[in-house]
Amino acid sequence: MRRIHPGPEDDPDLVRAYAYPEGRPWLRLNMVASADGAAWDQGLSGGLSGRADKRVFGVLRGLADVVLVGAATVRAEGYGPVKPRESWRVLRAGRPAAAPLAIVSRGLDLDFDAPLFREAVSPTLVITCESAPEDRRKAAAAAGEVMLAGGEEVDPRRAVAGLHARGLTRVLCEGGPRLNAQLAAAGLIDELCLSVSPLLLGGGAARILDGEPSRSRLELRQVLEEEGVLFCRYVREMRP
């Protein structure tokens, strides 16, 4: 891997390259897309990913306090629990060996007997709303933890504030596009880590944001490259 912006460097230190800023909560969105903007290939993001993307993915998870993801992505991608890695030992000193998952779900259409819940190092957190079916809320509470963040719908601001209240201030969001769009519309995304795969896909795949319109100006802080894949790190431009 090489860095091509802001200055050339071979084999950059990925932990340093993706270090969180000190002294404030931070929400980082990590996504992969084709060169024409598709967020998945045949319904899955894995077709866009390669070896280098998986390395970056691992570092981002190792740095995070919590991994935030939408229920549709959990179902489509077959999510399991975040598993500890030996390379995270120093990164996670003083924290659990692996970051917990926080799943955003209004209807709670999740398998609470799956390894995602039963084999998690830290209890899986389900973020839902008061209108969710009561029996499903009880099942979620039995399998992990439940956080209410809204009445009829999950309020993204209340969801992120609830994570911060639990001391989970370094938030890594892995999508999907609908959750991303909600976070962007609420002005909650501080950083976008976008892997651009050298593929043209076309078709009806969603972009990395799929939902209500929003507008956030971004500053390009870093670009890494390996085997034609670009790893772009953008930070939201802060107005005075």
Side-chain angles (χ1 to χ4, degrees), residues 12-20 59 63 87 91:
D13 182 339
L14 293 181
V15 172
R16 185 177 62 188
Y18 288 100
Y20 280 87
V59 169
L63 290 168
S87 60
L91 285 185

Side-chain angles (χ1 to χ4, degrees), residues 3-66:
R3 189 179 71 194
I4 57 181
H5 176 77
E9 180 183 355
D10 290 331
D11 298 321
D13 182 339
L14 293 181
V15 172
R16 185 177 62 188
Y18 288 100
Y20 280 87
E22 295 291 337
R24 59 151 295 178
W26 196 257
L27 194 151
R28 166 180 283 163
L29 173 61
N30 182 43
M31 293 294 289
V32 62
S34 66
D36 59 321
W40 60 63
D41 180 14
Q42 298 180 19
L44 299 174
S45 63
L48 299 170
S49 184
R51 291 177 297 177
D53 188 58
K54 288 181 172 62
R55 291 206 309 278
V56 171
F57 177 85
V59 169
L60 296 186
R61 280 190 161 193
L63 290 168
D65 290 334
V66 62

Side-chain angles (χ1 to χ4, degrees), residues 115-197:
L116 171 64
F117 290 92
R118 299 304 182 191
E119 298 177 11
V121 172
S122 300
T124 297
L125 176 64
V126 178
I127 304 175
T128 189
C129 54
E130 294 172 7
S131 66
E134 185 175 355
D135 61 329
R136 300 302 294 164
R137 283 167 54 180
K138 290 180 178 178
E145 295 183 7
V146 173
M147 181 172 78
L148 296 180
E152 291 299 316
E153 303 284 346
V154 176
D155 181 337
R157 291 185 182 89
R158 289 179 61 179
V160 172
L163 295 176
H164 293 171
R166 285 167 165 76
L168 306 173
T169 58
R170 296 177 176 182
V171 182
L172 172 64
C173 180
E174 296 179 352
R178 291 190 181 278
L179 176 58
N180 299 345
Q182 292 167 358
L183 294 170
L188 294 169
I189 297 175
D190 297 300
E191 177 181 332
L192 168 63
C193 295
L194 179 63
S195 303
V196 182
S197 181

Side-chain angles (χ1 to χ4, degrees), residues 195-218:
S195 303
V196 182
S197 181
L199 290 171
L200 291 173
L201 291 176
R207 298 183 303 166
I208 64 169
L209 301 186
D210 183 19
E212 57 187 299
S214 61
R215 184 179 181 86
S216 300
R217 293 192 61 84
L218 302 175

Side-chain angles (χ1 to χ4, degrees), residues 97-111:
L101 277 174
I103 305 169
V104 178
S105 177
R106 180 181 180 276
L108 299 180
D109 183 15
L110 297 163
D111 180 0

